[in-house]
Amino acid sequence: MKIVYEDNHLLVVDKSPGEIVQGDKTGDKPLLETLKDYLKEKYNKPGNVFLGLVHRLDRPVGGLVIFAKTSKALSRLNEMLRKGEIKKKYYAITRNRPPKETDELVSYLVSREKNNKTYLSTQENSDAKEARLIYKLVNSSDNYYLLEIELLTGRKHQIRVQLSSIGVPIRGDLKYGDKRSNHDGSISLLSHQLDFIHPVSKQAMHFKVDCPDDNLWKALWI
């Protein structure tokens, strides 16, 4: 984990694959608690520290995550997220070429907590939620393809299941159809860009991560 931005209202963090953002049944310490400890120590705060999670990243995914340091910022960011005013872009590496150079994928998804997995469904299913993303093929090598994905909704495992549904599971993602795991347990999906208006100062905020220290990412990075 690396803090890439901090002010009185926000923390933007570059999460490492394998870190959990929120607590889960594993009992591993989540990023949320690690950052609360950091704030408590840095500012010598007694008692509980407020820190709100604006959005999530799956455990095997790396990249940018926003946290709110005040309830006012959290409330405004949540509303911006609901309205689609926080622009999120991802890179994904796949072994298969996508059927089109660029496309908008619209699906209906249902998540099942029992096995922590998301499935394609139909609009008529009362549990189903609409999921939308736009992907484009931005680079390739002999064996791999780099897609940039603009996430238009924020459903659980959305990118993973939607890409798998068109025959291009993300490299290392055994849960959604890839054949081999990555050596470090990650999947080759990265939250690489965030754009939004600061909820308090109203300044335009723009963040991009650096290329991971990995030979395949370096070969495909643009």
Side-chain angles (χ1 to χ4, degrees):
M1 177 271 291
K2 179 174 75 174
I3 294 170
V4 297
Y5 179 81
E6 180 180 359
D7 64 18
N8 290 335
H9 303 279
L10 302 180
L11 269 175
V12 179
V13 170
D14 183 1
K15 179 183 102 64
S16 301
E19 291 180 312
I20 52 171
V21 175
Q22 266 187 317
D24 65 7
K25 60 186 179 185
T26 65
D28 295 341
K29 187 172 183 177
L31 198 51
L32 189 64
E33 295 305 317
T34 300
L35 289 169
K36 284 182 179 180
D37 290 346
Y38 155 78
L39 293 172
K40 191 166 185 170
E41 183 177 341
K42 180 175 181 179
Y43 299 105
N44 195 26
K45 292 195 172 195
N48 293 328
V49 172
F50 179 87
L51 190 65
L53 177 61
V54 178
H55 63 110
R56 296 164 180 78
L57 283 184
D58 297 342
R59 185 167 194 160
V61 178
L64 295 165
V65 191
I66 309 169
F67 296 86
K69 292 170 67 176
T70 63
S71 56
K72 178 167 72 172
L74 180 62
S75 173
R76 291 180 180 178
L77 285 164
N78 282 338
E79 181 66 9
M80 290 163 63
L81 195 66
R82 189 184 68 78
K83 292 179 176 178
E85 294 171 354
I86 299 177
K87 305 299 182 186
K88 297 184 282 186
K89 290 188 177 180
Y90 290 72
Y91 276 153
I93 297 174
T94 68
R95 300 181 205 275
N96 300 336
R97 187 183 187 93
K100 296 179 181 178
E101 296 284 308
T102 183
D103 199 9
E104 179 174 356
L105 304 182
V106 181
S107 312
Y108 289 86
L109 304 180
V110 172
S111 290
R112 298 291 180 230
E113 292 300 324
K114 187 176 180 181
N115 61 352
N116 190 33
K117 196 168 179 180
T118 298
Y119 299 89
L120 290 181
S121 186
T122 61
Q123 188 173 359
E124 289 75 25
N125 186 327
S126 60
D127 295 334
K129 294 179 179 178
E130 186 185 57
R132 293 180 296 117
L133 62 78
I134 297 170
Y135 77 80
K136 62 180 177 180
L137 177 62
V138 292
N139 204 1
S140 63
S141 66
D142 290 343
N143 298 306
Y144 295 102
Y145 301 88
L146 180 67
L147 311 184
E148 185 176 64
I149 296 117
E150 182 177 356
L151 200 56
L152 304 179
T153 56
R155 311 305 181 198
K156 184 175 181 178
H157 296 183
Q158 178 183 334
I159 297 173
R160 300 166 66 181
V161 70
Q162 284 193 287
L163 288 185
S164 179
S165 75
I166 61 167
V168 283
I170 294 165
R171 177 178 173 265
D173 195 0
L174 299 181
K175 179 171 278 194
Y176 291 102
D178 197 33
K179 295 180 175 63
R180 295 190 297 280
S181 60
N182 291 346
H183 67 88
D184 60 357
S186 71
I187 65 173
S188 299
L189 179 63
L190 183 71
S191 169
H192 91 98
Q193 184 174 322
L194 286 173
D195 293 277
F196 58 96
I197 301 300
H198 193 288
V200 179
S201 72
K202 304 306 179 186
Q203 289 182 309
M205 310 298 286
H206 173 73
F207 300 100
K208 288 182 97 167
V209 295
D210 296 328
C211 179
D213 186 16
D214 173 270
N215 289 336
L216 182 57
W217 278 113
K218 288 175 181 177
L220 291 168
W221 196 263
I222 60 168

